[in-house]
Amino acid sequence: RFCELLLAEVDAYEATPLPRRRPNTMNRGGLIVNEIGLEPLMDLLLRRLIAPLAAHLYFAEPFAASLDHHHSFVVAYRHRGDECGGDRGLDMHHDASEATLNVCLGREGFTGGGLRFCGRFGGEAHRRNVAVADHAVGRATLHLGRQRHGADDIVTGERYNLILWNKSSHHRLSKDFLAKYRSRPPAAPGGEAASGGEEAAPPDLACLSYTHDGDYENYKPYPPGKKPKPRGPGGG
């Protein structure tokens, strides 16, 4: 019921001429729900659900007990993304968050488009395939923001996802955070040199990012119409 009602709100807003911004630098379709009157609801989700779960699951992380704000948005994936103002999938990236909640809102009838996870930003295995989570209406996934991930291409239909990038003000002012995000992840053997040394093994092809990996073309050609962009966090 929650997914149905939230999707109805999104549909109603998108049917109006009211202004909207892209939810992030990578997704083309969707809107920022904090800007359409839903921020108090997202605050409630962070306080009552996400923060307690993160404190339990990520107790060893420096932000575990201090998540206090969020950037929340809805993204749209469509089989005919180029024609319908959405995306078929999403390139590999890490989020501008400490922990991310990804909720599948629907719609019914979509196929494909799994949420693919690779390693963690800054680690030797950050471009190694870890798992693929299948989406189903009402299913939510909580993961670290620095976990590299992407959306496989949707095969049929369309799917909306609610994304909450949850952040810690205290952690983001720490020396540990600033040092970690000023560094580049290690490069693969034969790839571009990077601080932190080389990866332990060549990357899995599914974990390469044409947006963020300067050595992408060493392993496969860029997709049609794609080119490298400055490194940075992405979507959901």
Side-chain angles (χ1 to χ4, degrees):
R1 187 62 175 159
F2 171 86
C3 296
E4 181 183 341
L5 291 172
L6 184 55
L7 200 52
E9 281 292 320
V10 171
D11 287 343
Y13 190 89
E14 288 190 327
T16 73
L18 293 171
R20 71 207 68 177
R21 293 189 295 149
R22 286 177 58 178
N24 54 64
T25 60
M26 293 181 70
N27 287 100
R28 293 178 297 174
L31 55 85
I32 301 172
V33 297
N34 286 358
E35 296 180 350
I36 64 169
L38 295 176
E39 187 170 9
L41 176 60
M42 301 301 120
D43 289 342
L44 192 65
L45 280 176
L46 171 57
R47 186 168 65 252
R48 293 194 178 179
L49 177 66
I50 300 167
L53 279 174
H56 177 73
L57 295 172
Y58 307 130
F59 57 88
E61 297 286 340
F63 63 81
S66 61
L67 295 177
D68 60 2
H69 66 289
H70 58 86
H71 173 60
S72 300
F73 51 93
V74 166
V75 292
Y77 293 97
R78 300 182 174 99
H79 173 57
R80 299 172 62 189
D82 292 339
E83 303 172 28
C84 302
D87 301 285
R88 292 188 66 185
L90 195 65
D91 188 29
M92 283 288 159
H93 61 280
H94 65 277
D95 293 338
S97 72
E98 275 65 81
T100 294
L101 184 72
N102 184 325
V103 184
C104 178
L105 303 177
R107 310 177 190 273
E108 295 287 357
F110 70 86
T111 60
L115 178 58
R116 183 176 298 275
F117 289 101
C118 301
R120 296 177 181 179
F121 178 84
E124 291 185 352
H126 80 288
R127 297 195 295 182
R128 304 296 293 176
N129 193 51
V130 173
V132 179
D134 293 327
H135 287 292
V137 176
R139 182 178 294 169
T141 302
L142 181 67
H143 63 86
L144 291 172
R146 70 176 186 275
Q147 193 91 35
R148 177 171 274 216
H149 60 284
D152 293 345
D153 284 355
I154 195 168
V155 177
T156 60
E158 67 175 354
R159 187 188 77 245
Y160 280 74
N161 287 66
L162 170 67
I163 311 294
L164 285 85
W165 283 353
N166 305 282
K167 310 179 186 186
S168 164
S169 300
H170 177 76
H171 175 58
R172 288 178 171 255
L173 293 174
S174 69
K175 292 181 179 179
D176 177 68
F177 175 86
L178 295 174
K180 183 176 294 183
Y181 285 90
R182 282 173 181 160
S183 67
R184 290 173 57 187
E192 288 189 344
S195 60
E198 292 188 341
E199 289 174 308
D204 291 329
L205 296 184
C207 292
L208 290 172
S209 169
Y210 55 78
T211 306
H212 303 295
D213 293 344
D215 61 349
Y216 183 95
E217 206 167 17
N218 292 355
Y219 301 99
K220 58 182 181 179
Y222 284 105
K226 303 298 183 182
K227 59 182 180 179
K229 298 176 183 177
R231 288 178 174 82

